[in-house]
Amino acid sequence: MSFYDVLSRGDEALEQNRPRNSKIWNFFSHLTCKTVIGASKIVMGTLYDVEVKGLNNLDDAMIDARKQDRGIMTVMNHMSTCDDPFLWACFPWRNYKDLDDIRWGLAATNICFTNIITTRFFSLGKILPCDRFGRGPFQPGLDACVRLLSPDDTLDEKHIYHNDGVSLSSLIPKGIPDSRNFLSSQYSPPVLRKKTSLVHVFPEGFVCQLQSPFNNSMRFFRWGTARMILEPTVAPVIVPIFSDGFEKIKPEKLEDTMFDFFTFYNRGSKVTVNIGKPLDSQVIESFRDEWKRLCDKYHDVGDFSRMTDELKFGEEARKLRSKVSAYLREQVARLRIENGFSEEDPRFSNIQWWSKYTASKGESDKEVKFMGLNWAVRDYQKNVVLYDDRGREVK
């Protein structure tokens, strides 16, 4: 169930300083993406042994999603800084003939959006900024993902939350220009697209490289991913992916250098990408039904266009996002076992364990050691903005 205010903010985030509804922008965006994928293909094709399992699962999901007018979402473990774009180098060129078939993704603001050059490059590469360390799941980049997963022809009274006795158009806040009001005949979508969008997510939020015997384990999955399932106008088709081997190409170090950025390690090693079947639509719809019931219970009777604090921060809403995220993690963990790994340590799916472990910088469980650094520790990262428990910037 979508809220007008969320979709509107998603439009704003997509429009901000980016003429994405321009054919010229799309041309250079497609050129940027294909150039990066091409360079990555040279590296992967000449230096590593790549195996892709279940590519037909992704192909079929893309076809089915477009037939059903639904967005597509892929979720994957995050083993290395080269996961994206090297993942896409493992797939055939036919997957990138159309810009609409190239994924949208998220990247850390404090790493990839630090100046005008990197901001323009990653924006052309269909990457959206995501703030870490307290900003939480209610931020512009995630609103943009909800909007991308909402087909342009579903922005109507059937799919957007409103009072049944009142038309949705009468609830739109005053002062919104017609060009930004997607219920207006003059509305222009922020992204020029012919098909529904593909959004790729690393739900762990940080690279996770643990030393043996815990190697290739995952962190807990964060709640922002649950928003992308619960809040689009229609349920996206969700495809789980598990990869291993990218961590050998870019093993984490205590300190990165420019030399490391251009160096590819462990040449000849095996990289496996396991693509699962789309997740059960009935399970996804059951989550969305539960979200709809919460919206009916905790909506703002004075303003149906916005999501209330109870729906953002209330206990029931938090539990639902936790349940959705845990379900996604279980599906990716099944693919991990298919790749030959044993069952994970049960601690690693527990958000409380990770919170304690990160807060103590690993002292709470000394036998669990990272390759390099645990990047979830704020002190290890530069250019970090602080936020309170409601995602508001702390001055």
Side-chain angles (χ1 to χ4, degrees):
M1 177 54 62
S2 297
F3 282 86
Y4 182 94
D5 191 39
V6 170
L7 297 171
S8 180
R9 287 199 306 270
D11 267 19
E12 280 187 54
L14 290 166
E15 287 175 345
Q16 190 173 25
N17 302 317
R18 320 280 188 273
R20 290 193 170 105
N21 58 356
S22 157
K23 290 183 179 180
I24 295 175
W25 174 275
N26 273 16
F27 171 80
F28 284 104
S29 179
H30 202 184
L31 179 63
T32 300
C33 293
K34 292 182 78 171
T35 299
V36 173
I37 292 170
S40 301
K41 277 183 171 290
I42 293 173
V43 174
M44 296 301 294
T46 59
L47 301 182
Y48 298 98
D49 177 16
V50 178
E51 180 184 10
V52 178
K53 304 176 182 178
L55 180 60
N56 61 301
N57 291 330
L58 180 59
D59 291 341
D60 292 346
M62 296 277 280
I63 293 170
D64 290 345
R66 267 61 187 271
K67 285 182 179 178
Q68 300 170 37
D69 195 27
R70 298 164 64 188
I72 308 101
M73 181 177 170
T74 49
V75 294
M76 189 178 106
N77 62 314
H78 202 4
M79 286 299 302
S80 170
T81 55
C82 73
D83 285 343
D84 191 315
F86 282 7
L87 167 68
W88 310 106
C90 299
F91 301 161
W93 272 115
R94 60 178 166 79
N95 288 51
Y96 313 115
K97 290 171 64 176
D98 193 323
L99 179 61
D100 288 334
D101 292 332
I102 295 176
R103 63 87 191 96
W104 289 88
L106 293 162
T109 303
N110 67 303
I111 296 174
C112 298
F113 293 85
T114 56
N115 58 62
I116 190 171
I117 295 175
T118 59
T119 295
R120 184 53 57 93
F121 172 74
F122 284 105
S123 296
L124 285 168
K126 299 183 70 173
I127 295 294
L128 301 164
C130 182
D131 296 320
R132 294 165 163 175
F133 301 112
R135 185 67 185 274
F138 300 100
Q139 54 176 289
L142 294 172
D143 290 334
C145 289
V146 171
R147 175 63 183 89
L148 287 167
L149 290 168
S150 300
D152 295 332
D153 59 357
T154 61
L155 306 178
D156 54 32
E157 298 195 0
K158 179 180 178 182
H159 299 95
I160 299 176
Y161 196 77
H162 68 290
N163 187 337
D164 289 336
V166 181
S167 67
L168 179 61
S169 57
S170 68
L171 301 176
I172 297 171
K174 296 180 179 179
I176 295 180
D178 284 342
S179 60
R180 285 285 333 286
N181 175 0
F182 44 71
L183 296 178
S184 165
S185 59
Q186 301 179 44
Y187 173 67
S188 176
V191 173
L192 191 63
R193 58 182 177 178
K194 301 174 184 176
K195 309 174 186 176
T196 55
S197 297
L198 165 65
V199 176
H200 181 72
V201 186
F202 298 106
E204 296 166 88
F206 299 91
V207 169
C208 182
Q209 287 187 17
L210 298 178
Q211 296 183 23
S212 181
F214 306 114
N215 51 299
N216 295 86
S217 296
M218 298 181 290
R219 300 177 190 263
F220 68 95
F221 280 16
R222 294 176 177 270
W223 292 348
T225 311
R227 285 197 64 201
M228 299 178 210
I229 293 172
L230 299 173
E231 296 180 37
T233 52
V234 293
V237 175
I238 305 164
V239 179
I241 302 175
F242 183 87
S243 71
D244 66 84
F246 291 124
E247 75 283 359
K248 299 171 186 174
I249 300 175
K250 288 291 183 181
E252 290 288 292
K253 300 180 182 300
L254 291 175
E255 185 175 354
D256 290 328
T257 65
M258 189 57 67
F259 175 78
D260 289 324
F261 182 81
F262 292 103
T263 302
F264 307 109
Y265 296 88
N266 299 303
R267 297 179 184 182
S269 59
K270 181 74 172 288
V271 175
T272 304
V273 177
N274 190 357
I275 306 170
K277 293 183 178 181
L279 302 187
D280 189 333
S281 293
Q282 291 185 338
V283 174
I284 301 305
E285 287 296 348
S286 71
F287 290 140
R288 288 172 59 89
D289 288 343
E290 189 171 345
W291 171 243
K292 172 64 165 58
R293 288 193 290 272
L294 289 180
C295 293
D296 290 339
K297 185 177 180 180
Y298 294 116
H299 64 265
D300 185 339
V301 294
D303 184 0
F304 280 79
S305 69
R306 74 176 192 91
M307 190 188 303
T308 62
D309 281 355
E310 188 65 35
L311 290 172
K312 290 180 180 179
F313 310 113
E315 183 179 356
E316 290 177 76
R318 287 173 180 264
K319 285 183 177 179
L320 175 58
R321 293 188 190 100
S322 264
K323 185 162 60 172
V324 173
S325 299
Y327 171 73
L328 290 178
R329 192 183 185 284
E330 288 173 5
Q331 307 314 304
V332 177
R334 289 181 181 180
L335 299 176
R336 178 182 177 275
I337 293 175
E338 288 181 13
N339 275 25
F341 295 96
S342 58
E343 292 278 356
E344 282 185 299
D345 188 307
R347 290 176 293 182
F348 297 155
S349 62
N350 188 302
I351 183 174
Q352 286 77 26
W353 182 87
W354 278 107
S355 297
K356 182 179 178 182
Y357 179 84
T358 298
S360 69
K361 296 185 179 180
E363 291 299 311
S364 60
D365 291 84
K366 294 184 178 181
E367 82 282 9
V368 179
K369 296 185 181 299
F370 270 81
M371 298 286 293
L373 299 174
N374 175 6
W375 290 111
V377 177
R378 181 185 287 119
D379 296 348
Y380 297 157
Q381 296 204 27
K382 301 177 182 179
N383 308 313
V384 172
V385 178
L386 302 180
Y387 300 93
D388 63 16
D389 59 356
R390 292 296 178 98
R392 296 168 295 201
E393 185 175 342
V394 177
K395 301 295 185 180

